[in-house]
Amino acid sequence: MTRTTILIADDQPLIRDGLAAILNMEDEYTVVATAADGVTTLEQVELHRPQLVLMDIHMPKLDGLEATKRIKAKY
């Protein structure tokens, strides 16, 4: 079975870590990276090429909406 790779982008560590823990307990998901801001999210997407990004809208440096637009434009 192929696992879905996920990147979690959220500026709150509790949310990031909690979602990662829950998703990693499931056989069909693997969290390949987390990010605390939009700039790091773009870097991690480039590095890991996840199949799914769970994106917070309100993040420092670059908000989730703009980060999503850039990811969609590039990939």
Side-chain angles (χ1 to χ4, degrees):
M1 172 172 47
T2 303
R3 299 181 101 181
T4 301
T5 56
I6 301 172
L7 183 150
I8 300 170
D10 197 297
D11 59 333
Q12 296 181 29
L14 184 62
I15 300 297
R16 281 194 318 270
D17 297 343
L19 281 173
I22 291 167
L23 291 169
N24 280 326
M25 288 190 300
E26 300 296 326
D27 291 337
E28 61 265 17
Y29 304 119
T30 300
V31 177
V32 294
T34 62
D37 60 67
V39 173
T40 305
T41 300
L42 296 177
E43 295 168 353
Q44 293 299 313
V45 166
E46 177 73 26
L47 182 64
H48 296 284
R49 302 288 175 98
Q51 295 168 302
L52 178 66
V53 177
L54 298 178
M55 182 82 72
D56 183 13
I57 294 175
H58 302 288
M59 291 189 297
K61 297 184 185 177
L62 182 68
D63 69 45
L65 296 175
E66 183 60 31
T68 299
K69 286 179 191 174
R70 293 183 189 187
I71 291 167
K72 285 182 66 176
K74 188 167 184 179
Y75 304 101

